[in-house]
Amino acid sequence: MKFPIIATAVLGATTALADMPVLTVYTYDSFVADWGPGPQIETAFEEVCGCDLKFVGAGDGAALLARLQLEGVRTRADVVLGLDTNLTAAAAGTGLFAKHGIEAEFNLPVDWDDDMFLPFDWGYFAFVHDKTRLPDAPDSFEELIAAPDDLKVVIQDPRSSTPGLGLMLWVKAAYGARAPEIWAGLAPHVLTVTKGWSEAYGMFLDGEADMVLSYTTSPAYHLIAEGDDTKAAAPFDEGHYMQIEVAGRIASSEQPELAQSFLNFMLSDAFQSVIATTNWMYPAVTPEGGLPRGFETLITPETALIFAPGEAAKLREEALAEWRDGLSR
Amino acid sequence: MARRAQPLGAVVPAGVAAGALVLALCLGTLAAVAWRAEAGGGLGAADWAAIRFTLFQAALSAGLSCALAIPVARALARRQFAGRGLLITLLGAPFILPVIVGVVGLLALFGRNGMVSAALAPLGLGPVDIYGLHGVLLAHVFFNLPLATRLILQGWLAIPAERFRLAAALGFGPGDVVRRLEVPMLREVLPGAFLVTFLICVTSFAVVLTLGGGPRATTVELAIYHAFRFEFDLGRAALLSLIQFGMCAAAALMALAVTVPGGFGAGLDRPLKRWDADHLGLRMQDAAWLGLAGLFLLVPLALIVLRGLAGLAEMPAAVYAAALRSLVVALVSAAVTVGLALPLALAANRLGGLRGTALQGAGMLAIAASPLVMGTGLFLLLFPVVDPVALALPVTAVVNAAMSLPFALRALGPVLAETERSHGRLADSLGLHGYTRLRLVTLPRLRRPLGFVLGLSAALSMGDLGVIALFADPAQATLPLQLYGLMGAYRMEAAAGAALLLLALSLGLFWIFDRGGRANAAV
């Protein structure tokens, strides 16, 4: 009889699953999407950990932090993956995170010495354009300001979007006290401000704007996934602001060893080799095989701009007021 | 009054319970957020600017939507033509579109790279600049003209055919019909239609920001985002949400103050014939209004369909799973909407006076809620008891139902009042009470609005991102969430396909349920 055999097999499987420790990782939605890095990473880690890795998506990076703040010490998360350096000061302030104690070599344009959060990928913000529509893209904020008024860019609101926040800090990092003047100069070129990256990027692809605020790695998607080499990021003389995405483990976790081994796994090739063509960012530790073909065509900014975590938090309100006043003119 | 003489029965407790549930959903979640807040900052100058701008754009948008809806609804009410029913359904489509899809369609028509700009280019004009207050108004009229038209059209259809017959017998010209029949009807219907569109525009946020062209177009909902995400200042988020409720309550009180009951008396549901509107001039005028509204509302939809066709093949399997999930949520949500709306409307009608109005007010509240605050509050309330992620879909269905409730009450209320006015005394004298009266007298007359309510709430739930974005796991994403996910992963073609699927499913649901609503449209 087949039935009891199947029944035993199923029962066996469920008991095996029930015995397995579960590692819960909170992350942002796009990480866990079918086409994101999540599914491949889950398979790879479960092969080595003897555990059940459970990703929980919670909106975007900022929503992820808010979720953690709402849950507080009762959080079910063992690891939080997907905060960026603009959020780590507030994340550390919750007192929920433990130190990682991991020494590693990172392929980052800046030094990394945070003892609580480990980077897993990074990228530069940049204005992306279509070479066939805009062959001579401006190569600095000042040149963009000087361009004819009908050159339009679409950007995101820093209050509701991570890239929007990145642009606001980019201008602040590059121009400091001159930021208000830069925003006022940019105002005629800002076609509109959107709630999130998706709306802005969609408008750009529909030909609504000449340039869109995105990442230097965006053209790699079009090249590798679509075989379309018309998109390019404009290198800016002032340098480019960086986004470094990090993970940390929760101190009160019931699975501290598993969480720690996940962080180690995160820096290994099995994790890092998935990042470039699923998250479309640079891996924090370049895997042995190097970057996928096509990434060599991307621009590599000479100057990497970034505020230290605490500094970004302090500057935010002031920079937001400058952004708002400059663009409201 | 006759209705006071009746026993209140089970309907009033049921209605009060429904109202209490909505109150708890709106104010309970707000209280949970405020309770959790640490001492936060008060309102800054930027918040006040956001409040002023929100009121300004919402009042203007609602006024414009209703003003334009009057001639469109009148044309639909007094004309019969092949495809009228289909046109009524299609004209309703923009309202049930997810915002992000609607904006894409509008930009394909009015954007810098849109059809209008392309048509103007050979003349050396353009491109059209849609970004600014006018863009916000254009978008809000696009989204809300359909609803305003439907609400006003129901007013027209509620005038008994006998009144027009009498008007014809008395030799009324078009002007007399306007003065004696249509203006009194509008005084009854317009304030409610204005209120509902105003409430929608108050909480509108992504449209206003995208088409408003910059930070000047900051609404209260965006200020709530700012408080929540930027500063994690729950106190200020709750305060701003309370102000949003306040603005809506003030608008509701004003609308109530100017509403005058129509009092057309009873009719025998005879076929409607409009002798007064037979002139060629009036026919051309109606044709022009219908043509213009049709173009304005349907061309962006057609563009969405065109863009989506290519993407249909690109859609990953996850989209279909999400579509199925959304369908189930939509059907549950529609059932819950009617389950809440019917007792609420019946109880409000039975109670009458201030108490009835207060009950209706409670039912209208959800639309003024900030989805961000409501979602956060629900999360705070559920988290200690149960994993909120496990409840994401049921919670979405209930919240979507609460969000549809104002439209449901708007659609059911007047018809119910009219039914009581015209058939109540006869039913009383026949001793019809309770369930029998509901089945024999009330429900048959509610068929049209009930079909509309079911269709609308199912379709709205289908397209709504709502609170689910806050705590749904992508593994149980709904179709709109999946659509955003595809866009966020550069997969714009597949997203356009998903948008088309969403549009088709929403419209399909609306059409199926609304057939009841169109059953009498031929008369």
Side-chain angles (χ1 to χ4, degrees):
Chain A
M1 270 176 69
K2 261 186 195 162
F3 177 70
I5 303 174
I6 295 174
T8 326
V10 170
L11 275 177
T14 41
T15 33
L17 215 63
D19 288 342
M20 253 192 230
V22 177
L23 182 74
T24 306
V25 177
Y26 280 14
T27 183
Y28 47 80
D29 280 351
S30 60
F31 196 89
V32 225
D34 281 5
W35 45 84
Q40 290 181 55
I41 284 166
E42 186 176 339
T43 313
F45 188 62
E46 284 179 352
E47 273 171 18
V48 294
C49 72
C51 71
D52 179 14
L53 174 59
K54 207 174 133 223
F55 280 117
V56 175
D60 68 350
L64 181 60
L65 176 62
R67 164 94 172 252
L68 207 63
Q69 284 168 311
L70 289 179
E71 294 187 355
V73 286
R74 285 181 301 184
T75 183
R76 294 176 177 89
D78 301 305
V79 173
V80 176
L81 180 144
L83 304 171
D84 68 20
T85 47
N86 295 322
L87 301 169
T88 46
T94 62
L96 294 174
F97 286 90
K99 292 187 176 168
H100 55 70
I102 294 174
E103 294 279 326
E105 285 290 311
F106 296 106
N107 300 92
L108 288 172
V110 292
D111 291 330
W112 191 260
D113 55 5
D114 192 314
D115 58 3
M116 210 169 260
F117 298 99
L118 283 167
F120 64 92
D121 69 11
W122 60 279
Y124 293 108
F125 293 110
F127 285 99
V128 171
H129 63 105
D130 185 324
K131 287 185 280 187
T132 58
R133 291 206 316 255
L134 183 70
D136 295 311
D139 56 16
S140 67
F141 281 109
E142 295 196 329
E143 200 170 303
L144 175 56
I145 290 170
D149 272 1
D150 65 352
L151 195 158
K152 298 290 186 190
V153 301
V154 53
I155 63 172
Q156 301 86 0
D157 198 301
R159 290 166 290 185
S160 54
S161 143
T162 311
L165 182 62
L167 175 63
M168 189 187 89
L169 294 171
W170 184 2
V171 170
K172 192 70 189 162
Y175 285 98
R178 278 185 66 203
E181 170 198 332
I182 296 295
W183 284 118
L186 286 174
H189 296 288
V190 174
L191 180 71
T192 194
V193 178
T194 63
K195 177 189 172 194
W197 177 91
S198 305
E199 291 94 334
Y201 208 81
M203 285 171 74
F204 159 70
L205 288 182
D206 284 343
E208 205 45 34
D210 302 293
M211 298 172 93
V212 61
L213 179 79
S214 187
Y215 297 89
T216 58
T217 40
S218 298
Y221 172 81
H222 297 285
L223 185 66
I224 297 170
E226 297 178 338
D228 164 16
D229 64 357
T230 60
K231 308 291 185 292
F236 269 28
D237 292 343
E238 296 92 339
H240 288 244
Y241 198 77
M242 286 180 69
Q243 183 178 26
I244 304 177
E245 298 195 292
V246 304
R249 72 178 176 87
I250 298 293
S252 59
S253 159
E254 284 168 19
Q255 304 287 349
E257 288 87 25
L258 258 186
Q260 189 67 27
S261 72
F262 181 81
L263 290 183
N264 277 312
F265 173 81
M266 186 179 83
L267 303 178
S268 72
D269 273 12
F271 184 111
Q272 292 288 315
S273 62
V274 173
I275 289 296
T277 54
T278 51
N279 228 21
W280 302 101
M281 297 282 271
Y282 286 106
V285 182
T286 311
E288 204 167 315
L291 293 170
R293 252 185 70 189
F295 268 68
E296 75 285 352
T297 61
L298 302 177
I299 62 160
T300 43
E302 282 170 22
T303 314
L305 303 172
I306 192 160
F307 285 117
E311 215 177 331
K314 259 181 268 160
L315 281 168
R316 252 178 2 183
E317 277 304 321
E318 176 195 333
L320 181 71
E322 292 169 358
W323 176 87
R324 193 166 42 212
D325 295 345
L327 286 187
S328 293
R329 269 182 221 166
Chain B
M1 282 172 79
R3 61 169 178 243
R4 289 287 169 76
Q6 292 174 45
L8 291 180
V11 123
V12 168
V16 170
L21 179 72
V22 179
L23 266 184
L25 205 54
C26 298
L27 300 181
T29 51
L30 179 64
V33 172
W35 180 259
R36 173 70 170 68
E38 286 137 33
L43 298 185
D47 295 323
W48 286 111
I51 292 167
R52 278 195 304 273
F53 179 76
T54 304
L55 280 174
F56 176 64
Q57 65 84 13
L60 223 51
S61 299
L64 214 53
S65 299
C66 289
L68 290 171
I70 294 173
V72 179
R74 177 159 71 171
L76 284 171
R78 67 187 183 190
R79 297 295 157 209
Q80 307 299 329
F81 50 89
R84 177 176 172 274
L86 184 68
L87 183 68
I88 293 180
T89 302
L90 281 177
L91 287 185
F95 181 66
I96 53 187
L97 273 185
V99 161
I100 192 166
V101 176
V103 169
V104 166
L106 273 180
L107 288 179
L109 182 58
F110 294 108
R112 286 178 84 233
N113 200 28
M115 281 173 68
V116 175
S117 291
L120 288 175
L123 307 173
L125 298 170
V128 182
D129 187 6
I130 192 182
Y131 304 96
L133 182 62
H134 57 287
V136 175
L137 297 180
L138 185 86
H140 277 160
V141 170
F142 174 74
F143 284 113
N144 296 314
L145 179 62
L147 178 74
T149 304
R150 271 312 280 263
L151 291 176
I152 296 172
L153 178 61
Q154 298 217 337
W156 244 290
L157 296 179
I159 302 177
E162 287 79 3
R163 301 298 163 271
F164 289 104
R165 183 179 278 250
L166 181 62
L170 291 171
F172 274 22
D176 301 317
V177 170
V178 168
R179 216 169 37 247
R180 300 288 172 196
L181 293 174
E182 298 182 328
V183 166
M185 181 278 293
L186 286 174
R187 290 236 23 206
E188 183 177 18
V189 175
L190 261 186
F194 176 88
L195 175 63
V196 167
T197 38
F198 177 85
L199 297 184
I200 296 170
C201 296
V202 162
T203 45
S204 166
F205 146 40
V207 175
V208 178
L209 187 62
T210 304
L211 293 177
R216 260 168 308 186
T218 294
T219 56
V220 175
E221 186 68 25
L222 183 57
I224 294 175
Y225 260 73
H226 176 205
F228 187 68
R229 291 174 53 117
F230 225 73
E231 296 151 351
F232 198 65
D233 185 344
L234 293 178
R236 218 176 92 215
L239 182 60
L240 283 164
S241 181
L242 198 61
I243 287 172
Q244 196 156 294
F245 278 120
M247 290 178 354
C248 293
L253 286 178
M254 265 158 43
L256 274 174
V258 296
T259 305
V260 177
F264 288 102
L268 298 173
D269 298 347
R270 268 181 234 261
L272 174 66
K273 174 122 176 62
R274 295 289 302 270
W275 292 272
D276 58 295
D278 246 354
H279 308 281
L280 182 66
L282 287 183
R283 286 223 293 266
M284 299 211 353
Q285 186 193 325
D286 286 349
W289 275 109
L290 286 180
L292 281 176
L295 277 180
F296 174 57
L297 298 176
L298 298 183
V299 171
L301 289 186
L303 294 171
I304 293 166
V305 172
L306 281 180
R307 290 165 46 95
L309 285 176
L312 280 179
E314 305 269 325
M315 290 191 308
V319 171
Y320 295 101
L324 195 65
R325 229 171 275 131
S326 278
L327 266 178
V328 174
V329 170
L331 291 175
V332 172
S333 177
V336 176
T337 303
V338 169
L340 290 172
L342 199 55
L344 245 174
L346 286 169
N349 192 52
R350 188 72 65 79
L351 286 168
L354 206 59
R355 285 186 298 170
T357 309
L359 195 56
Q360 270 208 322
M364 305 280 277
L365 211 57
I367 191 90
S370 153
L372 190 61
V373 171
M374 195 195 265
T376 307
L378 274 170
F379 189 91
L380 283 169
L381 291 172
L382 292 176
F383 181 72
V385 191
V386 61
D387 182 7
V389 176
L391 284 183
L393 291 181
V395 164
T396 303
V398 172
V399 170
N400 285 350
M403 293 286 178
S404 307
L405 207 50
F407 315 115
L409 292 176
R410 216 47 256 166
L412 293 176
V415 185
L416 207 55
E418 187 58 43
T419 305
E420 273 307 305
R421 275 203 296 267
S422 53
H423 296 70
R425 273 163 300 175
L426 180 62
D428 283 345
S429 68
L430 291 172
L432 281 177
H433 289 299
Y435 176 70
T436 321
R437 179 173 177 146
L438 187 69
R439 188 168 58 87
L440 292 179
V441 181
T442 314
L443 282 183
R445 306 201 70 81
L446 285 183
R447 210 180 92 186
R448 183 156 62 196
L450 271 181
F452 174 66
V453 165
L454 278 169
L456 188 71
S457 53
L460 274 180
S461 171
M462 196 77 207
D464 190 42
L465 201 56
V467 296
I468 194 171
L470 275 174
F471 53 86
D473 203 29
Q476 41 173 333
T478 54
L479 191 50
L481 207 58
Q482 197 70 260
L483 170 68
Y484 264 91
L486 285 167
M487 285 186 82
Y490 294 95
R491 302 178 62 169
M492 304 291 172
E493 275 221 339
L500 173 56
L501 181 65
L502 183 54
L503 176 63
L505 288 175
S506 303
L507 258 187
L509 278 176
F510 183 64
W511 182 75
I512 290 170
F513 284 119
D514 193 39
R515 287 179 80 154
R518 295 181 301 112
N520 283 357
V523 298

